[in-house]
């Protein structure tokens, strides 16, 4: 475990000393600031059944930018090592492939969680400024960040696999973005089709539809099925990443 912690600290240090950390943080802050302001404008214009949490996270303008986060976080994880020639050097040390994969993945998860802290503080600040006059359901707020965390585990795992498959960071970013967006669009398409058939099929399609997942959690309803779904897929993609890294390790 000592080697794992050393690798994890190395990854975190490498990210936070690079400009990419602050570019991604700025992107998240701008995205959340815009979504929060748009939600406030919507609630000011007319009465609505949804809370400010629902309108912030269950909005199309949120999803238009959300999927750019994962390529920026993961594109350099393995691609940079291979491009700079340090991938082979790394494995001359007594390290295992799973330690490298998990260290890089956990580092990206930690950074991903840190990026959402300013967003949560925005809600706390808004609640303090308005003296609680704006309805801000605690369950909906916590549920929103819980599903974002679960979806992040899945999308970051896909990004890790994309980075392990190529030495070009741009290609890795495109692959990660495309995979994340396709999963969202397929889930959305299946969800729309499901509304035209029986209820059993609708329940099945809800496993795939990210939009339905975020809608459920932003309403304060905690469903364990999406959590199991995203966690299982994350483990699957990490297993695939491990196989790719192990293969490249012995081939080199």
């Amino acid at each position: 475990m000592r080697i794992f912690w050393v690798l994890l600290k190395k990854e975190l240090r490498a990210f936070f000393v690079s400009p990419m950390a602050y570019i991604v943080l700025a992107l998240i802050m701008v995205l959340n600031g815009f979504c929060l302001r748009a939600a406030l404008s919507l609630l000011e214009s007319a009465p609505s059944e949804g809370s400010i949490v629902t309108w912030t996270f269950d909005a199309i303008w949120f999803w238009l930018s959300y999927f750019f986060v994962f390529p920026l976080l993961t594109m350099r994880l393995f691609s940079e090592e291979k491009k700079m020639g340090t991938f082979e050097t790394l494995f001359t040390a007594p390290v295992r492939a799973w330690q490298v994969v998990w260290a890089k993945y956990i580092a990206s998860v930690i950074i991903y969680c840190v990026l959402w802290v300013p967003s949560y503080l925005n809600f706390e600040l808004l609640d303090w400024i308005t003296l609680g006059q704006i309805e801000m359901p605690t369950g909906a707020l916590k549920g929103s960040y819980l599903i974002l965390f679960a979806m992040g585990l899945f999308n970051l795992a896909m990004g890790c696999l994309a980075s392990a498959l190529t030495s070009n960071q741009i290609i890795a970013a495109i692959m990660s973005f495309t995979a994340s967006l396709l999963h969202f669009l397929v889930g959305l398409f299946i969800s729309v089709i499901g509304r035209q058939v029986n209820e059993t099929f609708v329940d099945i399609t809800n496993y795939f539809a990210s939009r339905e997942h975020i809608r459920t959690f932003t309403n304060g309803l905690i469903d364990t099925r999406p959590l199991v779904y995203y966690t299982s897929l994350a483990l699957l993609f990490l297993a695939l990443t491990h196989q790719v890294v192990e293969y490249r390790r012995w081939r080199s």
Side-chain angles (χ1 to χ4, degrees), residues 53-71:
V53 177
T54 303
W55 287 112
T56 299
F57 293 111
D58 188 26
I60 192 63
W61 48 79
F62 175 81
W63 293 105
L64 287 175
S65 304
Y66 175 70
F67 296 109
F68 284 99
V69 174
F70 304 106

Side-chain angles (χ1 to χ4, degrees), residues 19-230:
M20 185 59 65
Y22 307 98
I23 293 174
V24 179
L25 180 59
L27 174 64
I28 289 288
M29 292 181 68
V30 170
L31 167 64
N32 281 278
F34 175 78
C35 291
L36 185 62
R37 184 66 190 91
L40 281 172
S41 300
L42 187 64
L43 292 174
E44 289 172 354
S45 62
S48 173
E49 294 182 359
S51 66
I52 188 172
V53 177
T54 303
W55 287 112
T56 299
F57 293 111
D58 188 26
I60 192 63
W61 48 79
F62 175 81
W63 293 105
L64 287 175
S65 304
Y66 175 70
F67 296 109
F68 284 99
V69 174
F70 304 106
L72 295 175
L73 289 180
T74 60
M75 65 182 185
R76 53 164 292 278
L77 292 179
F78 292 97
S79 300
E80 187 178 49
E81 296 272 9
K82 285 179 283 188
K83 182 179 180 180
M84 298 182 66
T86 56
F87 184 80
E88 293 79 8
T89 307
L90 175 64
F91 283 104
T92 59
V95 298
R96 298 179 182 273
W98 71 264
Q99 292 174 321
V100 175
V101 171
W102 277 96
K104 290 179 178 294
Y105 176 67
I106 295 298
S108 66
V109 170
I110 291 173
I111 295 164
Y112 175 76
C113 293
V114 169
L115 294 177
W116 292 103
V117 172
S119 168
Y120 181 78
L121 294 178
N122 282 343
F123 286 104
E124 293 294 332
L125 181 62
L126 180 63
D127 187 54
W128 178 71
I129 291 175
T130 60
L131 301 176
Q133 295 181 8
I134 295 180
E135 182 185 5
M136 203 171 300
T138 303
L141 188 60
K142 292 181 178 179
S144 299
Y145 286 104
L146 178 60
I147 192 62
L148 284 175
F149 174 73
M151 292 174 62
L153 294 179
F154 163 60
N155 287 296
L156 290 170
M158 284 201 299
C160 282
L161 177 59
S163 183
L165 289 172
T166 177
S167 59
N168 190 308
Q169 294 187 42
I170 302 301
I171 295 177
I174 293 173
M175 290 171 61
S176 175
F177 176 78
T178 303
S180 297
L181 187 61
L182 280 177
H183 177 268
F184 174 74
L185 293 177
V186 167
L188 185 63
F189 175 75
I190 292 175
S191 178
V192 172
I193 296 299
R195 293 171 187 168
Q196 303 173 9
V197 294
N198 61 60
E199 189 173 336
T200 303
F201 186 76
V202 173
D203 292 336
I204 296 175
T205 58
N206 284 339
Y207 277 107
F208 305 96
S210 299
R211 188 72 183 275
E212 292 299 320
H213 298 161
I214 195 73
R215 185 170 296 165
T216 300
F217 279 74
T218 54
N219 286 322
L221 304 174
I222 306 301
D223 187 353
T224 58
R225 291 174 299 176
L227 301 180
V228 173
Y229 171 71
Y230 288 119

